[in-house]
Amino acid sequence: MEIGLAVVMPGDSLTIKTVLTRLFAIVTMHHGKRRSSAEAETHMGSNPMLRFTIRRIFLGALTLLAVCVIVFAATQILPGDAARAVLGRNATPERLGEIRAQLQLDRPMIIQFWSWFSGILTGDPGQSLVNGMRVIDIVYPRAVNSAVLLVLTSLASVPLSIALGVLAALYAGRVVDTSLSVIALALAALPEFVVGILLILLLSTSLFHIFPAVSLVPPGSSVLQNPIILVMPVLTLSVVCFPYLFRMTRSAVLEVLASEYIEMARLKGISTLRLVFVHALPNALAPVVQVVALTLAYLAGGVVLVEFVFGYPGIGQGLLDAVVARDIPVIQLTVLLLATVYVLLNLVADLIAMLLTPKMSARQWQTT
């Protein structure tokens, strides 16, 4: 009835041609609306950035759940008895039984895990077995100190490594490139603690006594109140990071400089600085960003040795102390925190790399 009213209007000639023409127009109009709506929904649902982010967050959550299980199981098989570590060797069996009941060590393993995991989710990971303090109060100040060390190392090493990598790529095969590559290769062969000891011998002894060899911080004080104690740890970590960032930047920029569009830009007379910093470097940053994130994630866990060498009150030194004292709640939270930082840094690196390469297809990102 509605179609008939829409097709046959007053004053129109009731010819078959007119009726068929108007019916075809109505059907085409409704089909176009449905098609546009379907295309809009498909476009909204096929956003590669959104799908990739949700997928990586989900996989990151599964990874952290697996880390929780592994960390809890690993701490349970550590040698020694947590109750005896608290009371000492001269503890009586009755007192040991009381401590085990207080620490819930006499309960089944699955109940212990759920009690600890639910405490992690609610922000109450328990108390230290050594001094009875809240674990969060022990780990948090050390985590802040390590974060300061990580940020300062990033600010010092990343820009310098990228700048020297670009310089080596511009003068590939020349003295500058060869010298920087040899230095980077030599530094890559040195472990962190060796670099730290060499820097102490060079800058903190009678040879050149410039910086303190040990990063001593009074209890309750911040490392930022005496910034000079940060110089040696930051310098050590920057030297450790430099070879990997430098070599990746150099190879990425060389690959981009050999591409066809860069050759066309050269033929058009574009200056070298504009060619590198406007056309080449932005397209070479995607792999560099991922290496930066992996390096920082490595530093989040590998900073243990550097903190031990310099006596720095960070999360690495705290982890070593907790392992020696068999302080299981502190070990569990510290390792879980390091794993969380690693997962988040990898997620941020992948998202930044995707933003820097917008032409990359969604299928490629789904397979990463």
Side-chain angles (χ1 to χ4, degrees):
M1 191 69 177
E2 293 179 357
I3 295 179
L5 292 175
V7 173
V8 183
M9 300 297 293
D12 288 344
S13 57
L14 299 179
T15 61
I16 296 177
K17 182 178 180 180
T18 302
V19 173
L20 292 178
T21 301
R22 296 192 178 184
L23 280 174
F24 178 76
I26 292 173
V27 172
T28 303
M29 179 181 65
H30 284 280
H31 178 70
K33 290 181 178 180
R34 288 196 300 269
R35 183 176 179 182
S36 299
S37 176
E39 289 178 351
E41 292 177 359
T42 302
H43 179 72
M44 291 289 291
S46 62
N47 187 340
M49 185 73 172
L50 179 61
R51 290 213 318 269
F52 175 75
T53 304
I54 294 175
R55 180 173 179 270
R56 288 306 303 270
I57 292 176
F58 177 73
L59 292 178
L62 289 181
T63 302
L64 292 178
L65 179 60
V67 169
C68 288
V69 175
I70 294 173
V71 168
F72 182 83
T75 53
Q76 295 302 313
I77 63 177
L78 285 175
D81 185 3
R84 190 170 294 277
V86 174
L87 297 177
R89 297 181 179 180
N90 298 324
T92 61
E94 294 78 9
R95 185 56 180 159
L96 288 174
E98 294 177 1
I99 291 296
R100 289 192 183 99
Q102 181 181 351
L103 300 177
Q104 301 181 358
L105 299 177
D106 56 345
R107 295 188 177 185
M109 196 72 66
I110 186 66
I111 296 180
Q112 293 184 43
F113 173 76
W114 176 249
S115 176
W116 171 73
F117 184 69
S118 60
I120 292 292
L121 295 179
T122 57
D124 184 18
Q127 295 179 341
S128 169
L129 301 182
V130 176
N131 52 26
M133 292 179 58
R134 296 176 65 237
V135 173
I136 194 70
D137 295 334
I138 297 174
V139 176
Y140 176 74
R142 292 184 173 272
V144 172
N145 293 340
S146 293
V148 171
L149 202 60
L150 197 65
V151 170
L152 293 179
T153 302
S154 305
L155 296 177
S157 63
V158 173
L160 180 63
S161 302
I162 292 177
L164 293 179
V166 172
L167 181 65
L170 287 176
Y171 295 95
R174 301 182 186 179
V175 177
V176 175
D177 178 33
T178 304
S179 302
L180 290 174
S181 298
V182 169
I183 293 174
L185 187 61
L187 293 177
L190 298 177
E192 300 95 326
F193 67 93
V194 174
V195 175
I197 293 173
L198 291 177
L199 289 176
I200 289 175
L201 294 175
L202 180 64
L203 301 176
S204 301
T205 59
S206 56
L207 184 60
F208 296 104
H209 190 68
I210 303 175
F211 304 110
V214 182
S215 301
L216 297 178
V217 179
S221 301
S222 171
V223 293
L224 296 177
Q225 294 178 356
N226 189 16
I228 196 171
I229 66 174
L230 294 166
V231 174
M232 293 296 286
V234 169
L235 185 59
T236 301
L237 292 176
S238 299
V239 171
V240 172
C241 294
F242 168 75
Y244 309 102
L245 301 180
F246 165 78
R247 294 167 66 184
M248 176 54 69
T249 304
R250 177 185 177 277
S251 60
V253 173
L254 279 177
E255 183 179 355
V256 174
L257 289 177
S259 59
E260 295 181 356
Y261 78 94
I262 293 294
E263 294 295 333
M264 290 295 297
R266 283 197 182 101
L267 293 176
K268 291 181 179 180
I270 298 179
S271 63
T272 303
L273 290 178
R274 180 178 176 82
L275 189 69
V276 172
F277 292 102
V278 177
H279 299 283
L281 188 57
N283 292 299
L285 280 180
V288 175
V289 167
Q290 291 182 314
V291 172
V292 169
L294 290 175
T295 304
L296 295 180
Y298 162 75
L299 288 180
V303 75
V304 176
L305 291 176
V306 175
E307 291 182 355
F308 177 75
V309 170
F310 294 100
Y312 186 80
I315 196 170
Q317 182 67 36
L319 180 60
L320 288 177
D321 296 340
V323 170
V324 171
R326 207 180 185 277
D327 198 347
I328 293 177
V330 176
I331 298 173
Q332 292 171 337
L333 182 61
T334 303
V335 175
L336 183 59
L337 180 61
L338 293 176
T340 303
V341 172
Y342 189 88
V343 171
L344 290 178
L345 285 175
N346 277 274
L347 174 61
V348 171
D350 289 339
L351 294 178
I352 294 177
M354 190 175 185
L355 291 174
L356 294 175
T357 54
K359 294 183 180 180
M360 186 172 292
S361 63
R363 181 177 300 177
Q364 289 174 318
W365 282 99
Q366 289 177 349
T367 57
T368 54

